[in-house]
Amino acid sequence: MNDVPQQFLNEVRQLLFKDKTSELRAYHAIRHFKRTVQIFPFKPESIQIQTHSFCNGRCLYCPYPAMSQKLKQGKMGKDMINKIADDLTKWDMTGRVTFMLQNEPLMDKDFIKIINHFKSLNPKIELATVTNGTFLTPFLINQIVHSSLDELTISLDAFSKDTYESLHPGFKFEKILDSIHMLARKKDDRLSARLSFVNTRQNRDELSDFIKFTRKNCMGYRVIQVLNRANNVKNYNTFRSPRLTWKYLKLRLIYKYFFQACFLPFIRMSILFNGDVILCCNDWHRDAVVGNVNNESVDQIWNGQAMNHLRKKIVEKKYHEIRTCSQCTLAQLCV
């Protein structure tokens, strides 16, 4: 690849990424780090905050049911939440803050207060969350519509009762559809609402109907490939799509030859309920802790030695030296 003219690479990069700002930002952040061995002045495009660590789901391709029994769980204190909000305001953070990390965010009874507080301090940030939708009562939907939340994503992942309920044991397909219809009726143009579809072997034939459903309800959508979550998804091979497809080959091409590294640590930051900042949202074992917001500011951790040390290993493709990355789907795309 070193012998390929840069102009050609740039043209192919634009063809693959089109107008995807996030991917282009990651591309430039990685190359900046390779030149300078620091991430500054790049700020995270997205910061995920885990205001609590609990979830009511048992989704088959999520590590939560098993990992929640092995690790300490808890809720972020008010003082810590306020400190993070203050840190981001002082840092002049203008990216996205997503209140979701390895949990079900709407189980937090203080959810509305928290997002309103963040927006009151820094109106420029974009506030988002991703939910399984099971807590979307008429009362909560009304609160969300009138809150400071900018984007709400609901995980649907199917378009039939059998597929949905098999992938999400204990959840009812009719209930989630009722909540989606209710949200579609009540929301205004200020709140961006979209549905999420994790593409697996079990649901891939329902994708076209899923997209038609989102358009009918005037919502956006996202389609993401199922990942092994740093090798923490049980029976992952029963969910992943075949590798001899254009979608997989395109991902392989993008990660190996253009990103040339896993991009997550270069554009995303993940803060756990206890203040620990982990390398990546897929670090379910909490192995790669790069700092704690109780001891340092958010920007000090992002630009800090511990984070940059791991970034250096990643751009050098030394994934085997980082337990979180050693068997991760995304890392495997890069080598």
Side-chain angles (χ1 to χ4, degrees), residues 47-54 64 71-77 80-81 84 98 100-103 269-294 298 301:
I47 297 179
Q48 291 184 269
I49 300 176
Q50 185 187 68
T51 64
H52 70 88
S53 61
F54 305 104
Y64 178 82
L71 299 170
K72 183 179 179 181
Q73 307 298 314
K75 180 174 167 58
M76 186 176 285
M80 188 186 300
I81 290 173
I84 295 172
T98 301
M100 189 282 296
L101 175 61
Q102 303 175 357
N103 70 340
M269 193 174 191
S270 302
I271 307 175
L272 297 176
F273 75 95
N274 62 358
D276 282 345
V277 177
I278 52 178
L279 173 66
C280 166
C281 59
N282 292 312
D283 185 7
W284 283 81
H285 284 276
R286 307 171 189 170
D287 283 326
V289 176
V290 295
N292 188 288
V293 296
N294 284 303
V298 173
I301 297 171

Side-chain angles (χ1 to χ4, degrees), residues 123-138:
K124 294 182 291 185
I125 58 175
E126 180 183 1
L127 303 180
T129 195
V130 182
T131 174
N132 58 40
T134 57
F135 287 88
L136 286 174
T137 62

Side-chain angles (χ1 to χ4, degrees), residues 106-159:
L106 298 188
M107 290 178 70
D108 191 338
K109 294 181 180 179
D110 297 318
F111 178 79
I112 300 296
K113 291 180 181 178
I114 292 170
I115 60 174
N116 287 341
H117 177 62
F118 270 71
K119 184 71 84 170
S120 69
L121 291 181
N122 189 351
K124 294 182 291 185
I125 58 175
E126 180 183 1
L127 303 180
T129 195
V130 182
T131 174
N132 58 40
T134 57
F135 287 88
L136 286 174
T137 62
F139 176 75
L140 184 54
I141 289 175
N142 187 62
Q143 281 193 308
I144 289 173
V145 168
H146 293 94
S147 74
S148 298
L149 191 69
D150 296 298
E151 182 179 86
L152 174 67
T153 300
I154 303 173
S155 298
L156 185 58
D157 305 321
F159 195 71

Side-chain angles (χ1 to χ4, degrees), residues 49-73:
I49 300 176
Q50 185 187 68
T51 64
H52 70 88
S53 61
F54 305 104
C55 184
N56 64 326
R58 293 181 286 117
C59 305
L60 297 189
Y61 41 78
C62 178
Y64 178 82
M67 297 307 301
S68 62
Q69 303 301 313
K70 299 178 181 180
L71 299 170
K72 183 179 179 181
Q73 307 298 314

Side-chain angles (χ1 to χ4, degrees), residues 2-34:
N2 293 333
D3 296 330
V4 179
Q6 187 61 43
Q7 181 179 357
F8 174 76
L9 291 179
N10 289 338
E11 291 176 357
V12 177
R13 172 169 54 85
Q14 291 291 345
L15 175 64
L16 290 172
F17 295 156
K18 297 180 181 178
D19 58 349
K20 295 182 179 179
T21 305
S22 178
E23 285 84 347
L24 290 173
R25 182 180 177 85
Y27 175 88
H28 290 299
I30 292 170
R31 270 142 190 79
H32 170 78
F33 184 86
K34 284 184 174 182

Side-chain angles (χ1 to χ4, degrees), residues 14 40 66 117 163 241 243 330-331:
Q14 291 291 345
F40 181 84
H117 177 62
T163 304
S241 298
R243 292 183 175 176
L330 292 179

